[in-house]
Amino acid sequence: MMRRAGDHAIVLGAGMSGLLAARVLTDFYDRVTLVERDALGPGEGEAREDGPGEEGPGERAPRKGVPQGFHAHALLPRGLQIMDELFPGLTEEMIADGAVPYEPAHVRMIMGGFEFARAPAGEVGVSATRPFLEEHVLRRVRALDRVAIEDGAQVTGVLMEEDRVVGASVAGPGGERDLPADLVVDAMGRGGRTPAWLEAMGFDRPQEDTIKVEVAYATWYLRFPEGALDGERMVLVGASPGTLKGAALCMVEGDRWLVTLGGSAGVRPPADRDGFLAWVDEVLPSDVAAAVRHAEPLGEIGAARIPTSVRRRYERLDRFPEGLLVTGDAICHFNPIYGQGMSVGALDAVAMRECLREGTGSLAARYFAAVARALDPAWRLSTGADLALREAEEQKTVASRLLNAYLGRMRRAAARDWRVAEAFGRVSGLVDRPSALVRPAVVWRTLRG
Ligand SMILES: Cc1cc2nc3c(=O)[nH]c(=O)nc-3n(C[C@H](O)[C@H](O)[C@H](O)COP(=O)(O)OP(=O)(O)OC[C@H]3O[C@@H](n4cnc5c(N)ncnc54)[C@H](O)[C@@H]3O)c2cc1C
């Protein structure tokens, strides 16, 4: 226990952000209750309603509340670092249970048509499905003495007393009841209800920054022939203005490969076998495409569409009720192609911890300001790349032209110089801030390249 902030905190939603927030809150509150509408029983996992229910023998399907869990879910290096800090030994535990460890040498990355050089060594990442990652974090949260989980329970509202949130109302199998609390955290994902609650309580709704992305995914789980891809464990091909088509292939637990095709700016990958394979031939290097063609399918192809990235600017509100915070996708949901969502949820958890260490006075204002600072680089990276893909030439500003020209040059340099590729990876992995891309050594290598 670091500094006691109160008796009881409630986290609404047990997605990745809710689980990480619950872990942090155990350092400050005597009791933490996680409320989740899905059933989270061990070994559970309902079949998807809108697509494939089977992904291979003995594997878990995504829960109903997190349908995106069917698709590739990269955990960026910064997200994994934070999770390991909150749950020491988590990476080793996941690897022991079948998650696939990878180093730079295992990753083939092609951006803007350039295949990046690979660093000789680097930190170990883990590749696994989203249900696997979440299950491992949930297991750790369940083991915390201070945490109680109420699953199968729908959050219906928050309780107010004057200008303060003092709990939440929850409808479960036994009917609706009130849960009093000193702090309530909305971690209900992109459908988070805080804007509507604020309005109902006489506060302003947060301003929303919305970027149209029109991203579409198609995902197929496959078993590759033995020895396919010569030891590579991940292949990432980024969309470029010319094609707007990309792909991510990840080796995941259960001796499977997860192949996700991603289309940007309205381009949609086909969800039928022939169309899927035609896209694979077009976008992937020929040896990778051949491995996909010769793979054994493990179920049907599933599809998803993401129309917008949305950032709710809570930090700009003049008034916000005490006793309430928001985290994860409920604050900001990104174009998923950049794999930032879970890692930003982890950054929010760190911001919550840092703010609670300073006490509970003006907690919401301090927390939202800290979150805004923490997620700003991720937001700028993803929206900058989206605008570069979509924007008509004539709409580009001088600054965005210069930046795009520099990044283009960097990608070219990264094909020959692994140090440039590494700098790129550390920034897109949220380990370094974007200013690291213009450090003198990186600029020199980029221009020389
Ligand atoms: C297709 C796709 C691919 C993605 N790929 C990646 C990736 O590669 N890497 C990455 O990091 N991120 C990725 N993301 C984003 C990632 O899924 C989210 O950022 C992440 O799930 C956010 O977690 P969260 O806990 O904030 O919200 P969620 O995961 O949405 O969790 C919200 C939880 O709240 C519960 N809930 C909602 N309403 C209620 C209620 N009224 N009562 C009780 N419980 C409720 C839900 O059941 C759910 O469990 C992807 C997203 C999509 C759509």
Side-chain angles (χ1 to χ4, degrees), residues 13 15-17 36-37 63 68 72-74 130 155 329 336 339 341-342:
M16 197 59 95
S17 311
E36 168 57 48
R37 66 182 171 195
R63 311 189 263 117
Q68 72 268 33
H73 259 69
R130 160 76 186 250
V155 175
D329 273 22
M342 296 187 295

Side-chain angles (χ1 to χ4, degrees), residues 193-381:
R193 302 267 296 283
T194 299
W197 290 334
L198 288 176
E199 197 166 29
M201 295 183 299
F203 289 82
D204 289 338
R205 293 173 79 105
Q207 177 197 327
E208 290 188 352
D209 293 349
T210 302
I211 303 277
K212 194 165 155 188
V213 295
E214 293 183 294
V215 167
Y217 272 28
T219 294
W220 209 4
Y221 287 73
L222 302 169
R223 180 150 297 134
F224 275 15
E226 187 110 356
L229 299 188
D230 198 22
E232 281 172 348
R233 298 175 184 178
M234 206 175 271
V235 181
L236 305 170
V237 180
S240 57
T243 69
L244 301 172
K245 295 177 178 176
L249 283 78
C250 311
M251 193 190 255
V252 294
E253 80 278 1
D255 190 22
R256 298 171 300 163
W257 280 78
L258 196 164
V259 180
T260 290
L261 309 181
S264 296
V267 174
R268 283 165 66 179
D272 65 285
R273 185 180 183 282
D274 291 345
F276 193 99
L277 291 175
W279 175 300
V280 160
D281 284 338
E282 184 187 336
V283 169
L284 292 169
S286 56
D287 62 321
V288 183
V292 174
R293 282 195 170 272
H294 291 110
E296 173 197 349
L298 302 169
E300 306 284 311
I301 299 167
R305 271 195 277 167
I306 306 95
T308 50
S309 294
V310 177
R311 178 173 180 184
R312 300 194 174 110
R313 310 302 303 240
Y314 286 107
E315 75 280 9
R316 293 186 181 161
L317 289 172
D318 293 332
R319 283 175 67 234
F320 192 87
E322 284 300 325
L324 179 65
L325 298 179
V326 187
T327 185
D329 273 22
I331 298 182
C332 185
H333 47 270
F334 298 85
N335 177 347
I337 276 178
Y338 311 106
Q340 298 169 321
M342 296 187 295
S343 299
V344 170
L347 289 171
D348 294 350
V350 170
M352 201 177 290
R353 182 181 65 188
E354 300 310 314
C355 291
L356 282 165
R357 278 180 180 161
E358 303 294 315
T360 51
S362 307
L363 177 63
R366 288 187 293 113
Y367 167 75
F368 287 122
V371 164
R373 277 193 303 277
L375 71 74
D376 219 43
W379 178 255
R380 278 190 285 131
L381 283 171

